[in-house]
C-alpha cells in the first residue's frame, strides 16, 4: 500500500530541518532495478519551479534511478542560485547512491520565492540514503505533506505477478495544477520508458487532470512513474493501463477528500455532450464558479449558478434544453424548474451534480470541492 | 448626480412587493425626448435571462422610450411563462406611458429559476408611472439594489450644455459579468443610436469589462444608454466619449468598492505587454486566482501566487523576466525576489499590483477584490 509495494524500490522520509515544525520534510525513493525505466508529467504552467526545469531534462532519456522530494520550500522564482540548489541536491543523491545526477528527479513544494538551505538538503539526503528501506513508504509519504492532513497512498496487485504502488501530496488543485501536487508511482512490471509514458499520460488525463479543487495551477506539479522490472513479468498492456488508472484515481480522490478547508467533495458529471472535450470544458467551468462552490458550502442546491457557469463555455448545447440534477434530484429540466430544490439533501460530504447537455453521447466527470470559510482562512493565513 | 441629471428624463423607484423585505424593488426611467435614441450591451453568457432575450430585440432598432427594472427575481430559466411575464411587464409600461411595448427595455435581478409575480409587477408599474419625477433618480437607484449596501450614481456635465447621468447596481463580477450588474445611463446630448452604440461599446470595453470581482458572469447583465437630445446640443464626439467613459469608470469603481464581502479593492496593472489583449488576459488570470485573492485578504503580499497565475496564460512574456510590485514595493525583479515582502503595507483597502511583462508597450488594468470570509458567507447564505 505504498511507493515500496512494488519489488525493487526502497524509500525513506526524514526530517532535514526545512520545515520549522521539525517534521519530516525530505523523501527519497530509489529504484534498485534491474530496469530504471521512467516517465513523468509536469505542470503546464509557464512559470515553472527550478526542480521542474531540472526534472524535465532528467526524464528526457526515460532513465531514472531515484527521486528526491522536499517540502518546506518550492524553489520557484529563486533564480540561478535556486537552480544550483536543485542541481546540487541531485548531485548529493547521485554521490550517495552511486548513480548519475542526470538520472535523479527532484521535486519541491512550499513557498515560492524563498531559497532552500542547501546544507540542510545535503544532510537530509545523507540521512535518507542511510534510512532507505523497503518498508519505509509511509515515512516518505509523510515527508512530502504540506497542508495535507494525512498521507496518501495506493496500490494495485495483478494476479500476473506485478504490482503498482504510489504516494501523493497536495491539498489543492490541478491541471495538473497550487498547493502543488507531487505524485510518485512505482511498478515492478517489465516495461520500457515509452510504454510507461503512454500509460502514464492516458491515466493522468482522466484522473489528476480532472481534479480541479480551486482552479489554480501550481508551478511545481509533478507525477512520476518509475519501473524496476523486478517482478520479471511483462504485463498485459491493457490490464496495466487499467491498474495504473485505478492507482491514479485513488490518489486523486484522496487529494480531493483532503483539499484545503473543503466540506464537500463534488463530482460534476457532464453527460450527453457532443465531445469529451466539451464535457470537460463544461465540468471545469462549473468547478471554477465561486458562486456555485459557496452555495454548496451553504447546502444550497442553487442550480441557477450551475447554468450560469455552463453558459460561459463554447461547448455545443441549446441553453434551454439542459437538465441539472443534484444528488439525484432533477431540479432543472429543459431549462425550467422541475423538482423542488428543498428535496435535495446536501448534508452529506459527497455531492454529485449531473448536467445533461442533450448534444451527443460523450461525457466526463470533474472532481472539485466547495468554497468554505476554512479555505479562505488556510490560504490567507498560510503562505504557500 | 443621477439617472435624471440629463434633461428629458424622469424616474421613479417604488415597492412592488417583490422583495420580502418590503423595500423598493421596481424602477422606471422614462425618456421624454424629443429623441428616443438608445444603445445597450448585454451579458455574453449563453444562458440568458428572459428580460435579456426581450431587450436584445427591443434595442435592435435603436429606439427606447422607457426602461423598467426589478430586483427580487432574475426571471431566468423560468421558461415560456417567464418570457410572457417580461413581455407583459413591457406591455404594462407601454400602456401606462402610451408608447410601444417594443420600445421598452426590461431588466431583472435576483434568484434564477423563480417566477416573478406578474400582478405585483403590473401594480408596481402603475405606481411607478404615477411617481415619475425629474428628481427621483435616487429612488430608482435604490429600487434596483440587491446585496448592494448603497446606491451607485454618477454624472458628467459638459460646458457645451449637455449632461450624462447614470445609475448602477451590482455587488459582484462582470465580463459584463453574477450578482448581476444593471446600469442605466442617460444623456440629453443630441446623438443618434449608432453614435450612442459606438460610444457605449468603447466605454464599457475599458471600464465594466475590466471589472472582474469574482470571475462569475451573470445571466442578466445589461448596460443601457438612453439619449433624449433635450439639451439641443450636438456634442463633440471625442468629448462625449471621454465623459461617457468617465461615468462608466465611476460606476464600475463604485461596484468594485461595494463588492460582496470584499475587504480590499485591487487594481491589477499590467504594463509592457505585447498587446492590450495580452495585458487584459494576464490581469484577468490574476484576478481569478482564489489563492492570490485569499492572500490579499490575509494582508500577505504573496507574489508567487501572482506569477503562478500569470504562467497559466498564453500572453507573450519570458517567465524569468517578469517584475511584480505590490503597493509600490518591487517584491520580484526578473523572476527573482527583490525587496523584502514585509515592506508591503496591505492594511489600506486599496491595493495596486503592477506586473511588468517586458514584452512590449501595451497595458491594461483589471479591477477586482479579495476573497474573504464575508464573500463565502454572503454567497452561501444568500440565494441569488
Amino acid at each position: 500500500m505504498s511507493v515500496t509495494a512494488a519489488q525493487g524500490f526502497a524509500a525513506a522520509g526524514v526530517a532535514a530541518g526545512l520545515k520549522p515544525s521539525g517534521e519530516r520534510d525530505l523523501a527519497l525513493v530509489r529504484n534498485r532495478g534491474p530496469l530504471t525505466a521512467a516517465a513523468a508529467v509536469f505542470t503546464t504552467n509557464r512559470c515553472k519551479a527550478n526542480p521542474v526545469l531540472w526534472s524535465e531534462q532528467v526524464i528526457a532519456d526515460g532513465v531514472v534511478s531515484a527521486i528526491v522530494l522536499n517540502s518546506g520550500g518550492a524553489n520557484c522564482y529563486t533564480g540561478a542560485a535556486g537552480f544550483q540548489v536543485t542541481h546540487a541536491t541531485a548531485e548529493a543523491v547521485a554521490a550517495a547512491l552511486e548513480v548519475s545526477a542526470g538520472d535523479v528527479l527532484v521535486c519541491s513544494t512550499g513557498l515560492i520565492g524563498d531559497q532552500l538551505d542547501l546544507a540542510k538538503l545535503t544532510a537530509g539526503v545523507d540521512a535518507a540514503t542511510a534510512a532507505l528501506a523497503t518498508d519505509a513508504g509511509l515515512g516518505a509519504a509523510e515527508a512530502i505533506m504540506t497542508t495535507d492532513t494525512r498521507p496518501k497512498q495506493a496500490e494495485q496487485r495483478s494476479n500476473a505477478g506485478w504490482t503498482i504502488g504510489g504516494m501523493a501530496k497536495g491539498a489543492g488543485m490541478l491541471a495538473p495544477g497550487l498547493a502543488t501536487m507531487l505524485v510518485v508511482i512505482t511498478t515492478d512490471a517489465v516495461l520500457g520508458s515509452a510504454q510507461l509514458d503512454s500509460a502514464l499520460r492516458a491515466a493522468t488525463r482522466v484522473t489528476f487532470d480532472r481534479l480541479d479543487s480551486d482552479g489554480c495551477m501550481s508551478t511545481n506539479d509533478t507525477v512520476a512513474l518509475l519501473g524496476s522490472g523486478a517482478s520479471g513479468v511483462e504485463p498485459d498492456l491493457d490490464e496495466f493501463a487499467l491498474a495504473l488508472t485505478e492507482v491514479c484515481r485513488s490518489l486523486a480522490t484522496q487529494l480531493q477528500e483532503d483539499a484545503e478547508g473543503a466540506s464537500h467533495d463534488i463530482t460534476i458529471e457532464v453527460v450527453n455532450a457532443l465531445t469529451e472535450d466539451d464535457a470537460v470544458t463544461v465540468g471545469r467551468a462549473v468547478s471554477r464558479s465561486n458562486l456555485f462552490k459557496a452555495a454548496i458550502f451553504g447546502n444550497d442546491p442553487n442550480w441557477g449558478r450551475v447554468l450560469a457557469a455552463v453558459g460561459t463555455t463554447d461547448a455545443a448545447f441549446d441553453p434551454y434544453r439542459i437538465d441539472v440534477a443534484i444528488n439525484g434530484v432533477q431540479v432543472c429540466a429543459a431549462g425550467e424548474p422541475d423538482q423542488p430544490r428543498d428535496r435535495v439533501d446536501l448534508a452529506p460530504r459527497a455531492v454529485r451534480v449531473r448536467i445533461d447537455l442533450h448534444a451527443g453521447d460523450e461525457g466526463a466527470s470533474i472532481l472539485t470541492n466547495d468554497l468554505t470559510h476554512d479555505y479562505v482562512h488556510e490560504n490567507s493565513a498560510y503562505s504557500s
Side-chain angles (χ1 to χ4, degrees), chain A residues 113-186:
Chain A
D114 278 0
Q115 290 290 358
L116 288 170
D117 184 324
L118 179 58
K120 288 181 179 173
L121 275 168
T122 306
V125 165
D126 289 343
T129 304
L132 278 172
T134 56
D135 60 357
L138 180 59
E142 289 171 348
I144 59 175
M145 290 166 56
T146 53
T147 56
D148 304 70
T149 65
R150 49 186 182 264
K152 286 102 180 167
Q153 301 186 96
E155 179 182 318
Q156 288 279 313
R157 289 188 183 275
S158 167
N159 290 331
W162 51 264
T163 297
I164 303 175
M167 65 178 185
K169 68 80 46 180
M173 71 283 16
L174 220 326
L178 232 151
T180 294
M181 178 189 63
L182 300 181
V183 181
V184 180
I185 302 169
T186 55

Side-chain angles (χ1 to χ4, degrees), chain A residues 313-338:
Chain A
T313 72
D314 60 1
F317 62 80
D318 174 342
Y320 306 99
R321 283 194 67 199
I322 300 175
D323 303 334
V324 178
I326 304 181
N327 282 357
V329 180
Q330 182 148 322
V331 283
C332 170
E336 295 194 39
D338 190 3

Side-chain angles (χ1 to χ4, degrees), chain A residues 174-245:
Chain A
L174 220 326
L178 232 151
T180 294
M181 178 189 63
L182 300 181
V183 181
V184 180
I185 302 169
T186 55
T187 182
D188 50 21
V190 177
L191 291 168
S193 59
Q195 291 166 312
L196 294 177
D197 185 71
S198 62
L200 182 62
R201 288 180 191 278
T204 56
R205 191 180 74 83
V206 295
T207 55
F208 297 118
D209 282 352
R210 296 194 182 166
L211 169 64
D212 194 337
S213 180
D214 68 357
C216 294
M217 185 192 290
S218 170
T219 52
N220 288 59
D221 286 340
T222 302
V223 181
L225 171 60
L226 312 184
S228 69
S231 70
V233 180
E234 286 185 35
D236 175 83
L237 286 179
D238 288 343
E239 187 194 353
F240 183 82
L242 215 62
L244 181 62
T245 301

Side-chain angles (χ1 to χ4, degrees), chain A residues 179-381:
Chain A
T180 294
M181 178 189 63
L182 300 181
V183 181
V184 180
I185 302 169
T186 55
T187 182
D188 50 21
V190 177
L191 291 168
S193 59
Q195 291 166 312
L196 294 177
D197 185 71
S198 62
L200 182 62
R201 288 180 191 278
T204 56
R205 191 180 74 83
V206 295
T207 55
F208 297 118
D209 282 352
R210 296 194 182 166
L211 169 64
D212 194 337
S213 180
D214 68 357
C216 294
M217 185 192 290
S218 170
T219 52
N220 288 59
D221 286 340
T222 302
V223 181
L225 171 60
L226 312 184
S228 69
S231 70
V233 180
E234 286 185 35
D236 175 83
L237 286 179
D238 288 343
E239 187 194 353
F240 183 82
L242 215 62
L244 181 62
T245 301
E246 215 34 63
V247 165
C248 290
R249 195 186 312 283
S250 169
L251 293 172
T253 303
Q254 292 177 59
L255 293 174
Q256 178 191 27
E257 290 170 354
D258 197 24
E260 285 174 348
S263 69
H264 289 90
D265 302 325
I266 309 170
T267 301
I268 301 168
E269 180 188 9
V270 182
V271 301
N272 296 320
L274 183 60
T275 65
E276 187 177 352
D277 280 353
D278 270 6
V280 170
T281 297
V282 166
R284 203 176 284 281
V286 176
S287 81
R288 293 188 175 177
S289 165
N290 281 350
L291 289 174
F292 161 72
K293 290 152 73 93
I296 296 297
F297 167 57
N299 291 346
D300 172 13
N302 197 318
W303 57 269
R305 293 178 178 177
V306 173
L307 290 174
V310 173
T312 64
T313 72
D314 60 1
F317 62 80
D318 174 342
Y320 306 99
R321 283 194 67 199
I322 300 175
D323 303 334
V324 178
I326 304 181
N327 282 357
V329 180
Q330 182 148 322
V331 283
C332 170
E336 295 194 39
D338 190 3
Q339 300 299 306
R341 62 175 76 201
D342 57 13
R343 288 198 192 155
V344 180
D345 180 11
L346 285 171
R349 185 175 171 102
V351 176
R352 177 167 290 266
V353 178
R354 189 174 190 274
I355 302 165
D356 190 332
L357 295 178
H358 290 287
D361 301 317
E362 300 294 329
S365 291
I366 298 289
L367 307 180
T368 189
N369 296 98
D370 54 351
L371 179 59
T372 69
H373 290 299
D374 285 350
Y375 175 89
V376 173
H377 176 72
E378 282 200 40
N379 286 296
S380 55

Side-chain angles (χ1 to χ4, degrees), chain A residues 18-19 25 43 47-55 68-79 82-83 85-86 89 106-117 121 146 169 178-182 218-222 382-384:
Chain A
L18 303 168
K19 280 183 182 166
D25 49 21
T43 180
C47 296
K48 294 181 204 298
N50 284 308
V52 171
L53 297 173
W54 170 265
S55 296
V68 58
L69 313 91
N70 74 274
S71 50
N75 197 357
C76 182
Y77 280 109
T78 46
F83 191 82
V85 168
T86 292
T89 306
V106 182
C107 298
S108 301
T109 178
L111 188 64
I112 292 177
D114 278 0
Q115 290 290 358
L116 288 170
D117 184 324
L121 275 168
T146 53
K169 68 80 46 180
L178 232 151
T180 294
M181 178 189 63
L182 300 181
S218 170
T219 52
N220 288 59
D221 286 340
T222 302
Y382 167 78
S383 280
S384 70

